[in-house]
Amino acid sequence: MKAVQLKAIREFEIKEIPDPKIFEDDDVLVRIKMVGVCGSDIHYYTTGRIGSQIVEFPFISGHEAAGIVEKVGAKVTKVKPGQRIAIDPAVSCGKCDQCSSGRENTCRELVFMGAPKQKEGALCNYVVLKEHNCFPIGDNITFEQAVLSEPLAIAVYSVDQSKLKPDSNIAILGAGPIGMSVFHVLRTHQVGDIFITDRIDDRLEFSKQLNPKYCGNPNISNVVEEIKNIEPLEMDIVYECSGDPEAYRHAIELLKPGGLFVIVGIPEVDDIAFPIHELRRKEITILNIRRQANSTQKALDYLSSGKINMDKMVTHHFKMEDTNEAFELVSQYKDGVMKAIIIID
Ligand SMILES: [Zn+2]
Ligand SMILES: [Zn+2]
């Protein structure tokens, strides 16, 4: 099969490699049709790492994927050959203390598709997954939408974990695909005003389709002061979706006493300092989000019912041979890119 391998920082190459094979009874061989480019893939592409997860070249990245079931193991019942599927890229063990308490996202043996030394990524013709990673989709869901269900599932989980109250005032810091997915999910709930910040004006403009109360660029104005002028009682919840250490400070300044700071974005740095006295005096709760658990089907249901429509989020399509171009575009936030998708053939 053809695989797009990262052979050095910022350098992809298409290689012919052996097809993966089914070994276990719950394995599913999937023919990949589309792969979305995610911010975490970009970290590997530009720096070769996320924290202690370090790439060994050559490396196949990609985890936001959709495809068609090609072949199934003897005990598979959830999907059958020919079925179109969305993919949850996290393979949990199903046995450890975390899995047995419904926390498969923090499984002790978790392997993640397209993460270094864990599992090969999706930028290739075929992958072998477990049955529980495969989610059949109806004809009303496109492969693009199936790809978007991966970031959307993270947003669904983030909002579920944050136990919204009606009329909560909320800030979303970072209006990229994850921040916008959180915004879409919040729009299906009754909440107060929603405030958006991002350093890229195109993204702020894009976010206006969901009617935020305010959009601001911290490169241009004092977003904290502006938001507090509009909402003197400050925010009930802040979703940090940018990974930018500066946004962590904004979050703490924006929250009201007793507020909730939800960390969704993945920072490029290893350590971030917190104003500890402000955190303490305001008694702020910090909620970390580790991807998602049990939210893929919910995300697909939102998309298939039309309650959430994120079609406009797919701004660019590329062929496999143009993967380098796709990653350059996304890493430089050029051309108004939100989600770039690579078509696998
Ligand atoms: Zn992702
Ligand atoms: Zn486990």
Side-chain angles (χ1 to χ4, degrees):
M1 69 167 179
K2 276 193 295 180
V4 185
Q5 292 182 333
L6 188 63
K7 63 171 195 179
I9 301 277
R10 290 183 186 266
E11 207 178 327
F12 283 109
E13 171 180 64
I14 295 200
K15 269 269 166 92
E16 197 60 43
I17 61 167
D19 289 358
K21 290 200 166 40
I22 284 186
F23 283 109
E24 286 165 20
D25 286 348
D26 58 346
D27 283 349
V28 177
L29 180 69
V30 181
R31 181 150 64 91
I32 300 292
K33 298 294 287 182
M34 287 188 191
V35 180
V37 180
C38 173
S40 60
D41 302 322
I42 295 293
H43 287 307
Y44 296 132
Y45 173 72
T46 56
T47 68
R49 62 189 284 250
I50 294 179
S52 58
Q53 293 188 44
I54 297 165
V55 168
E56 266 174 24
F57 299 110
F59 167 66
I60 302 176
S61 66
H63 60 273
E64 297 181 356
I68 299 176
V69 175
E70 184 84 8
K71 206 170 162 187
V72 297
K75 288 195 181 133
V76 170
T77 55
K78 190 175 171 190
V79 292
K80 48 180 193 278
Q83 214 155 25
R84 299 162 70 248
I85 58 163
I87 293 169
D88 172 1
V91 185
S92 50
C93 77
K95 297 181 194 108
C96 71
D97 62 325
Q98 298 295 302
C99 285
S100 21
S101 59
R103 299 186 47 91
E104 58 263 36
N105 55 330
T106 52
C107 169
R108 307 268 180 182
E109 309 288 331
L110 193 77
V111 292
F112 195 74
M113 187 161 64
K117 287 168 253 168
Q118 295 184 25
K119 184 170 174 52
E120 294 287 287
L123 278 169
C124 57
N125 294 125
Y126 296 100
V127 296
V128 170
L129 290 162
K130 291 295 175 193
E131 172 175 30
H132 71 82
N133 297 103
C134 303
F135 291 79
I137 52 173
D139 292 338
N140 63 333
I141 295 199
T142 62
F143 284 123
E144 277 96 343
Q145 289 168 327
V147 164
L148 291 175
S149 74
E150 199 273 340
L152 180 59
I154 295 169
V156 168
Y157 178 73
S158 305
V159 172
D160 275 354
Q161 293 295 100
S162 49
K163 313 237 179 320
L164 288 182
K165 291 192 191 82
D167 307 321
S168 292
N169 290 317
I170 297 172
I172 301 172
L173 312 184
I178 291 286
M180 282 304 293
S181 298
V182 168
F183 200 174
H184 274 284
V185 176
L186 290 172
R187 276 285 172 254
T188 69
H189 291 72
Q190 193 202 329
V191 292
D193 291 329
I194 299 182
F195 300 76
I196 307 288
T197 70
D198 200 290
R199 293 189 190 279
I200 302 166
D201 284 330
D202 283 346
R203 293 199 160 171
L204 294 173
E205 204 49 50
F206 190 84
S207 77
K208 287 183 183 163
Q209 58 179 292
L210 291 175
N211 287 321
K213 176 82 175 175
Y214 163 93
C215 310
N217 182 337
N219 292 344
I220 296 169
S221 59
N222 186 334
V223 293
V224 171
E225 204 176 278
E226 289 177 357
I227 294 173
K228 286 190 188 202
N229 282 340
I230 300 169
E231 188 47 66
L233 288 181
E234 306 168 309
M235 299 296 108
D236 296 276
I237 305 178
V238 175
Y239 294 93
E240 201 310 290
C241 301
S242 71
D244 180 348
E246 178 86 3
Y248 281 62
R249 199 173 50 74
H250 292 162
I252 293 160
E253 288 174 5
L254 283 169
L255 281 164
K256 65 167 59 167
L260 177 66
F261 179 18
V262 189
I263 301 178
V264 193
I266 303 178
E268 220 162 83
V269 297
D270 294 338
D271 297 288
I272 293 178
F274 284 82
I276 201 72
H277 296 295
E278 194 171 356
L279 268 185
R280 180 177 56 79
R281 281 188 214 111
K282 285 185 170 178
E283 206 174 61
I284 283 168
T285 301
I286 298 179
L287 174 63
N288 276 281
I289 298 298
R290 168 64 167 152
R291 302 199 62 259
Q292 56 92 7
N294 303 312
S295 301
T296 301
Q297 191 56 52
K298 284 186 206 166
L300 288 168
D301 292 347
Y302 271 126
L303 294 170
S304 86
S305 66
K307 279 189 186 144
I308 290 182
N309 182 336
M310 305 203 298
D311 291 354
K312 283 189 195 146
M313 200 118 104
V314 179
T315 50
H316 294 75
H317 289 88
F318 290 88
K319 294 185 188 145
M320 268 174 115
E321 344 12 331
D322 300 325
T323 301
N324 245 104
E325 208 182 305
F327 275 62
E328 275 308 308
L329 177 90
V330 177
S331 70
Q332 294 172 44
Y333 307 101
K334 277 201 281 205
D335 195 26
V337 65
M338 283 297 281
K339 183 60 73 186
I341 282 187
I342 296 166
I343 298 164
I344 306 293
D345 52 15

